[in-house]
Amino acid sequence: MSDPTRVLLLTPQTPYPPDQGAPIRNFAFVRYLGSNLRYELSLLTFARPGEDPEKSPARAVLKEYCRNLTLVPHPPARSKPARIAALATSRQPDLTRRLASPLFEAALLSLLRAEKFDVIQCEGLEMAPFLLDQLIKLPQKPRLVLDEHNAEYLMQRRIFENDWQAGWKRRPAALYSLLQARRLARYETASLAAFDRVIAVSEADRQALAKLGPARNPLIVIPNAIDLVEFSPSDGEGLEQPDTLVFTGTMDFRPNIDAVSWFAREVWPLVRAARPQARFLIVGRRPAPEVEVLKELPGIIVTGEVPDARPYIRQSSLYVVPMRMGGGVRYKVLEALAMGKAVVSTTMGADGINLEAGREAVIAPENSQEFSQAILTLLADPARRAALGKQGRTFVESHFDWRNIVPQIDSVLLK
């Protein structure tokens, strides 16, 4: 047997627990590469914000898969004044400075000097600056892989468009997002040329990145995928509660803030007018002030961080995805479908998931009247909800089982 391919994985936070989008994807790669005799895996990662790297509960699990494991303290969040000041002092997008860390740079350089890696893979564009800066100092260059969790420039462009349409109060924020979108487009274009392989999470993202210019090699799509055992329909426990809607996600993430804010203020009053006992559960860590204030509205519950979001999904009548910006493939949609829940989503919410509208989920316009009517129609029709849930589960089984998706990384790392 030939020597294993030595892979160094760089991630913006510990991929365990796999409790949100990026860690779910990253842990799937860690689990696959670390269990496969064809690979020898090293992981350099930031700890979770506020977590002591030496006491991280992720260590014990990650050591099972990684020959070398290095955790570095997560840098503090940059202040808004510092980000605005950077507009005048740099032409780089804000994302490239989001994780600026001399400690991480030193740890990476130490690893690169101590060992020859065959492949170095960055999980997310925010990790690219560490790698591209350090490689200048290396006599030999390994294969460089960039896993683009989003087409970042496109996400910022969509945020700009949404804010600009919201009126004059949002225009300053819109202009900031437009500037970031342009800078990201330049940076992503340069990254396509600098990395040997670039991965997109959906065909839509691949096409968006391809518009920026030629990559060194064809862009490869490896979709997000989930564990179908972990996310499965209810076995009878936690029975569905009537007229209960749920949304899950990291609640300081701008697209999620926008989604629940629009839903709560524009759609929810129409739902409550027809169903006065209805409840809307907003489930997820770090709710921003704009989200916290929504619990003052009738029937809305903001849970904050919970140990496990699945019980909340299981008790819901419907899973709603009122997204108006963002990109990639949303784990929240895959998880709800895998758990056999009927889903009502905007077109943007289902972006990157090639489902058949009306068969696996209901796709409603970004219009408060039509979105609320789609919800009310399903709340009144349990049989239709059950049929959607069954078809949704079958769809995820066919297209997003991690056991079938993750091995596609072999074509990136071994060829």
Side-chain angles (χ1 to χ4, degrees):
M1 180 178 178
S2 60
D3 292 337
T5 298
R6 295 180 294 275
V7 179
L8 173 60
L9 200 63
L10 310 180
T11 67
Q13 58 184 311
T14 52
Y16 191 88
D19 53 359
Q20 53 184 305
I24 294 173
R25 181 176 177 86
N26 296 344
F27 186 63
F29 284 139
V30 166
R31 183 163 50 173
Y32 176 74
L33 298 176
S35 302
N36 193 316
L37 294 178
R38 287 180 293 180
Y39 299 103
E40 185 176 272
L41 179 63
S42 296
L43 174 64
L44 173 58
T45 180
F46 285 104
R48 299 289 173 99
E51 183 178 76
D52 182 346
E54 297 304 318
K55 299 178 181 178
S56 171
R59 277 188 171 278
V61 174
L62 295 175
K63 281 184 176 179
E64 296 179 15
Y65 302 102
C66 302
R67 187 176 70 84
N68 291 318
L69 173 64
T70 305
L71 275 69
V72 174
H74 198 283
R78 298 172 66 240
S79 67
K80 184 176 290 187
R83 293 166 59 192
I84 294 174
L87 293 176
T89 60
S90 172
R91 297 184 73 247
Q92 294 296 318
D94 183 68
L95 177 141
T96 63
R97 297 181 297 275
R98 182 182 298 168
L99 296 174
S101 168
L103 289 176
F104 195 95
E105 291 177 6
L108 176 57
L109 188 56
S110 177
L111 281 169
L112 296 179
R113 286 172 173 168
E115 183 167 351
K116 182 182 181 298
F117 293 100
D118 300 303
V119 180
I120 305 178
Q121 180 164 321
C122 290
E123 290 299 329
L125 188 65
E126 63 265 48
M127 304 306 295
F130 294 112
L131 185 55
L132 297 181
D133 290 346
Q134 296 288 13
L135 284 173
I136 298 173
K137 308 168 186 177
L138 289 183
Q140 294 182 318
K141 193 179 78 169
R143 176 177 295 181
L144 307 183
V145 178
L146 174 61
D147 185 14
E148 282 267 55
H149 289 219
N150 295 287
E152 298 289 352
Y153 85 95
L154 180 59
M155 179 182 292
Q156 281 297 321
R157 182 184 295 173
R158 288 170 172 172
I159 292 174
F160 156 72
E161 293 169 351
N162 184 272
D163 282 346
W164 190 261
Q165 294 170 5
W168 65 271
K169 289 185 178 181
R170 296 299 304 170
R171 293 289 166 86
L175 292 173
Y176 178 84
S177 293
L178 177 60
L179 179 60
Q180 292 301 320
R182 290 174 175 173
R183 291 183 174 187
L184 280 164
R186 289 196 300 267
Y187 193 81
E188 284 186 291
T189 301
S191 296
L192 293 180
F195 281 82
D196 300 298
R197 302 285 190 277
V198 177
I199 304 168
V201 301
S202 70
E203 177 58 24
D205 272 19
R206 189 199 68 78
Q207 293 181 16
L209 292 170
K211 290 178 181 178
L212 294 175
R216 186 175 294 183
N217 287 281
L219 296 165
I220 299 165
V221 176
I222 300 181
N224 287 336
I226 61 172
D227 188 325
L228 292 172
V229 174
E230 184 177 359
F231 292 93
S232 59
S234 174
D235 58 4
E237 298 180 7
L239 295 177
E240 177 182 307
Q241 298 183 10
D243 295 347
T244 298
L245 281 59
V246 69
F247 177 93
T248 60
T250 302
M251 293 316 306
D252 62 353
F253 181 48
R254 177 64 194 286
N256 289 344
I257 295 171
D258 175 80
V260 297
S261 297
W262 173 72
F263 182 83
R265 299 193 183 280
E266 302 295 333
V267 180
W268 186 241
L270 303 178
V271 174
R272 283 278 293 192
R275 298 265 182 169
Q277 302 306 312
R279 299 185 306 151
F280 176 42
L281 310 182
I282 301 173
V283 181
R285 62 168 56 83
R286 300 192 300 272
E290 304 97 306
V291 177
E292 284 282 9
V293 73
L294 299 178
K295 63 187 178 186
E296 298 175 5
L297 300 177
I300 295 182
I301 298 169
V302 179
T303 69
E305 185 170 4
V306 298
D308 187 348
R310 288 174 297 177
Y312 295 88
I313 299 174
R314 286 200 170 99
Q315 71 175 266
S316 68
S317 311
L318 279 177
Y319 191 97
V320 293
V321 194
M323 309 296 293
R324 303 191 300 170
M325 59 179 70
V329 174
R330 305 182 201 284
Y331 276 104
K332 58 173 61 70
V333 178
L334 300 180
E335 291 168 356
L337 293 172
M339 293 178 70
K341 285 298 173 180
V343 172
V344 178
S345 175
T346 58
T347 300
M348 185 67 69
D351 190 36
I353 305 175
N354 192 27
L355 51 76
E356 183 178 342
R359 177 178 171 82
E360 290 100 18
V362 170
I363 308 300
E366 293 175 20
N367 171 288
S368 57
Q369 291 285 347
E370 294 183 72
F371 204 90
S372 63
Q373 189 54 56
I375 289 169
L376 292 170
T377 298
L378 283 178
L379 288 178
D381 192 345
R384 174 71 174 140
R385 296 202 306 273
L388 282 169
K390 183 176 180 180
Q391 292 293 344
R393 170 70 185 189
T394 300
F395 174 77
V396 174
E397 288 175 343
S398 299
H399 300 285
F400 294 97
D401 185 341
W402 81 272
R403 294 169 298 182
N404 300 327
I405 296 294
V406 174
Q408 295 177 26
I409 194 68
D410 292 344
S411 67
V412 177
L413 304 183
L414 297 178
K415 294 181 180 179

